[in-house]
Amino acid sequence: MRRAVTSGTPLPAPDDPTPTPPPDLTDPAPSDTAPTAPSDAAPHPDPPAGPGPHAGLGPRVDAAVAQQVRHARHAPWPYTRLDVAAARAAGHRPHPIRQFVLKTRSRCNLACTYCYVYEMADQGWREQPPAMTPATIARAAQRIAEHAAAHDLPRVDLVLHGGEPLLSAPAQLAAPVDAVRTAVAGAAPATRVTATVQTNGTLLTRGRLTALAAAGIRVGVSLDGGLPAHNTRRVDHAGRPGFASAARGLRLLARHPQSYAGVLCVVDLDQDPIETYESLLAFDPPSVGLLLPLANWSSPPPGHHPGRTPYADWLLAVFERWWHDGVRRTRIRLFEEIIALLLGLPTTTETLGLTPAATAVIETDGSIEQADSLKSAYEGAAATGMTLDTHSFDQLLDHPGLAARQLGRDALAGWCRACELVDVCGGGHYPHRYRAGEGFRRPSVYCADLQRLIRHIAAAVQRAAQTPRPAAGAPVAGATDTPPAEGTEAADATAPVTAPAEAPPAEASAAHPPAVAS
């Protein structure tokens, strides 16, 4: 999908087959200390003694204190090394939440063997109610409307998530969205509310699609490829494959393009990249989200070896097919975002670039959490100790976990801050930086892959910029009728939405599915 370009930020050096990772992937000391972390040794202050906002909530307070201890043990950065007050004094302003992930169901009809919610480090789902109650939905709507009004938000994005949100009956699917829209209309009438549901696709029916379409809720589907062989790990609780049901749901969804947000697919090195891509195109997705597996330095991804770039190799095979195709068959969000960042355009994704994170998750019990993808790091990594009953979303903005994700360069490892690709890579997806006992101030475990991927795409963009443009009306290989940065603002619990670096286009709507796996 080539576009001739003539301006933007300087492009990095051309594709290098052997990108150089940082020598030891650790922060230099002591000069590496960022102004937002004045003391790497000083612990985060203990909660004040005496009555406070949690007075009378005994067990809940005990759990919150235990969670603070757990955060400090597993992730000193940011939980003991980031002084949020000092960051604010240094000029780092909080960015409002713009995307709200509503965990309407905490259980799933599938038991995918790699699921970050059920099969990785965090098992908090076991303590969650199976479904969000009407009272919790009403409280969530009130808090979201309150936040939208306080910050004059032009738009908020809702993502219905789980578990599997389509376990709800068709008549109940739109209830959370209706509640939020009603509350926002009363408190912030200028704020527009968009909504997407992220599903495994197995429960899509005409009735559910009709109900979702009537409520203006678009549908994103998670799949591992378009063939049964690609989806052997997406099975139900009896071990039976779920692909046939998902494929049936996707074929039905493809007949309702106004409701179709797209497909998310996690990169699997065991599958042929071109076959995977081409097989997904059979379902006519308007966009394809290619996600790197949730992994980190303590739990590396399959095939991870120093000096090798297997994930870049896989992705670049797809890129070459997509980039040189004669027509736009679909949009691939990862590639479009890299191109936009190379051109100096704003994007609203957290997986790349330096734009501040702007996503909050609401669990079925009303607890407020950080992005789901953190559940891949350690038990309770997404927890904040906050609930809808006791905290506003403004209070979430000063939680060190979220504040760290809004600091841009100051939150990155020293090697990342010195890298020429930092404006594009942004240090990589936050969960991919984790190492047990250190936290999240390291380069991505996919650092070498990201270097290779970005440099290769930069070289392709540079060549396209130097290629004479065809005569008016002549077809352009891979031409697209919209710039890469448009329509990229929908969600990331693997890649949640971020606060726009500048005012987004008026209609930069949820053209992509939420980048949160299901």
Side-chain angles (χ1 to χ4, degrees), residues 79-466:
Y79 291 102
T80 66
R81 296 178 183 170
L82 172 62
D83 185 331
V84 177
R88 300 290 182 245
H92 284 288
R93 302 271 69 83
H95 294 260
I97 304 299
R98 298 172 183 270
Q99 182 190 68
F100 300 87
V101 179
L102 305 180
K103 293 284 192 169
T104 57
R105 308 285 298 206
S106 65
R107 306 298 192 265
C108 188
N109 62 318
L110 293 186
C112 303
T113 59
Y114 58 86
C115 181
Y116 67 87
V117 175
Y118 303 107
E119 301 296 335
M120 298 189 79
D122 189 303
Q123 292 293 297
W125 65 272
R126 298 180 184 276
E127 300 175 3
Q128 289 293 333
M132 189 176 282
T133 66
T136 300
I137 290 172
R139 189 64 172 144
Q142 178 186 5
R143 288 295 195 188
I144 293 170
E146 168 187 283
H147 195 69
H151 296 278
D152 294 322
L153 297 182
R155 192 181 91 210
V156 296
D157 299 321
L158 305 181
V159 181
L160 305 184
H161 203 262
E164 173 48 57
L166 296 191
L167 285 169
S168 298
Q172 300 171 340
L173 287 174
V177 177
D178 291 341
V180 172
R181 284 184 173 144
T182 299
V184 169
T191 302
R192 185 163 62 96
V193 177
T194 72
T196 309
V197 61
Q198 189 65 28
T199 172
N200 59 41
T202 61
L203 300 178
L204 280 171
T205 62
R206 288 184 177 84
R208 286 187 170 89
L209 277 173
T210 299
L212 292 168
I217 302 172
R218 304 182 73 212
V219 182
V221 177
S222 300
L223 202 66
D224 293 341
L227 298 175
H230 301 151
N231 291 272
T232 57
R233 295 185 293 174
R234 296 182 73 83
V235 296
D236 66 14
H237 293 273
R240 296 170 297 201
F243 177 75
S245 296
R248 182 169 58 250
L250 270 166
R251 286 191 291 268
L252 182 62
L253 179 59
R255 296 200 289 270
H256 298 78
Q258 73 283 357
S259 297
Y260 200 172
V263 173
L264 293 180
C265 177
V266 176
V267 172
D268 184 349
L269 297 182
D270 291 335
Q271 305 299 334
D272 179 83
I274 302 302
E275 179 186 69
T276 301
Y277 170 58
E278 295 285 351
S279 65
L280 288 172
L281 292 177
F283 294 112
D284 297 321
S287 72
V288 173
L290 297 176
L291 310 177
L292 292 169
L294 281 170
N296 54 61
W297 292 104
S298 294
S299 182
H304 181 260
H305 297 286
R308 299 182 186 178
T309 58
Y311 290 90
D313 297 342
W314 197 100
L315 288 166
L316 287 174
V318 178
F319 173 79
E320 286 297 305
R321 176 64 62 92
W322 174 80
W323 182 252
H324 294 290
D325 209 338
V327 294
R328 186 181 75 173
R329 301 170 71 185
T330 191
R331 305 180 69 173
I332 299 184
R333 184 178 186 183
L334 174 63
F335 303 153
E336 291 187 346
E337 286 167 346
I338 289 175
I339 292 168
L341 287 162
L342 286 167
L343 300 180
L345 300 173
T347 66
T348 50
T349 176
E350 191 180 290
T351 55
L352 294 165
L354 296 168
T355 309
T359 294
V361 176
I362 303 171
E363 290 286 352
T364 54
D365 67 351
S367 57
I368 299 172
E369 295 201 342
Q370 302 174 73
D372 258 11
S373 53
L374 290 173
K375 294 179 184 291
S376 61
Y378 59 89
E379 179 72 34
T384 65
M386 300 182 181
T387 73
L388 293 171
D389 288 334
T390 58
H391 294 81
S392 69
F393 288 111
D394 270 19
Q395 289 173 284
L396 175 65
L397 298 179
D398 284 330
H399 184 276
L402 183 63
R405 303 176 81 170
Q406 295 195 342
L407 296 180
R409 292 171 187 263
D410 283 342
L412 301 183
W415 192 89
C416 291
R417 296 201 298 274
C419 178
E420 67 172 346
L421 302 181
V422 64
D423 289 332
V424 181
C425 172
H429 193 22
Y430 194 77
H432 296 162
R433 308 174 200 172
Y434 175 73
R435 182 170 180 174
E438 295 182 21
F440 298 92
R441 205 173 197 187
R442 296 173 63 84
S444 169
V445 72
Y446 294 103
C447 179
D449 294 280
L450 290 171
Q451 284 192 60
R452 176 163 165 73
L453 179 66
I454 293 168
R455 292 183 187 280
H456 184 102
I457 293 176
V461 171
Q462 188 71 62
R463 288 192 297 269
Q466 296 168 351

